[in-house]
Amino acid sequence: MYTNRIEAVNALVAAVPRMWEKAAKMSIPDQALVLLLMKDSRDGFGEIERIWVADEIDYFDPFHAKALSYGTNGTRAVALVVDIEADGPGDNSQEHVLLTDAAACALREHGVKLEAAYVARGFGPKEPVWSLDTEEFKGKVPLFPAATPHPVYALAESLITKPANSLPRLADIGDED
């Protein structure tokens, strides 16, 4: 089976709608929290085992964490906040941090560690993408190549691992790492 290896955050954002449509047969709203659960990394890439979309960004239901982790081998997750009202790093960041912290705490109860978190204004070409962990601009969403019949997606370890220069987060308190 073909593995689509993603090495840049903006390429990940471009691929997320295709992954979700394949899994759920529906589109992602303009404001959403997307959680990607990873299998352990091999060859420097973590295979995406499950994708979950919470269709609001003002509340995280802990049930989502249980449903996301149920029946998987994934132990790490990446968050993508989609917020059509945010224009760049720092914009609405307090709300995004509260949302991802709630998700991180809920996921931790099910043995999953939320690693990196990113924000995108949307999925269309040229929408800005940035790291919620560092507030670093990561580029703009590119046009994504044609879909493969049944792709498996894998993220580069650099996209999964929380950056060393991350801003302090409430959800990180108590981590042994």
Side-chain angles (χ1 to χ4, degrees):
M1 185 175 287
Y2 176 77
T3 299
N4 189 358
R5 293 178 173 225
I6 299 174
E7 299 186 41
V9 176
N10 53 353
L12 168 63
V13 174
V16 162
R18 188 165 290 127
M19 284 185 245
W20 179 242
E21 288 169 4
K22 179 183 163 229
K25 310 280 190 260
M26 61 177 59
S27 61
I28 298 173
D30 291 338
Q31 291 193 309
L33 172 65
V34 178
L35 295 172
L36 303 162
L37 190 68
M38 307 290 138
K39 287 183 182 178
D40 288 334
S41 182
R42 63 173 199 251
D43 300 331
F45 286 83
E47 188 177 309
I48 297 174
E49 187 172 55
R50 185 166 292 163
I51 182 171
W52 188 271
V53 175
D55 61 356
E56 51 189 83
I57 62 169
D58 56 353
Y59 169 74
F60 182 78
D61 186 339
F63 175 77
H64 293 316
K66 182 178 182 180
L68 178 68
S69 62
Y70 180 76
T72 69
N73 296 317
T75 58
R76 299 163 65 192
V78 171
L80 171 64
V81 178
V82 182
D83 186 353
I84 197 165
E85 296 176 3
D87 290 321
D91 201 7
N92 297 340
S93 63
Q94 183 175 3
E95 291 86 1
H96 301 158
V97 167
L98 290 172
L99 177 66
T100 56
D101 274 356
C105 290
L107 286 167
R108 190 178 319 155
E109 290 181 19
H110 300 284
V112 177
K113 183 174 182 183
L114 180 60
E115 294 279 354
Y118 302 101
V119 182
R121 187 171 191 282
F123 296 108
K126 300 187 180 181
E127 292 289 4
V129 179
W130 59 96
S131 168
L132 184 59
D133 296 315
T134 64
E135 294 189 349
E136 176 186 5
F137 179 70
K138 294 291 188 178
K140 294 185 177 186
V141 177
L143 290 174
F144 202 73
T148 55
H150 298 287
V152 173
Y153 290 89
L155 299 184
E157 184 65 29
S158 62
L159 300 182
I160 301 168
T161 305
K162 184 172 288 226
N165 59 340
S166 291
L167 300 170
R169 300 283 186 247
L170 179 63
D172 292 335
I173 296 173
D175 274 354
E176 291 84 38
D177 298 16

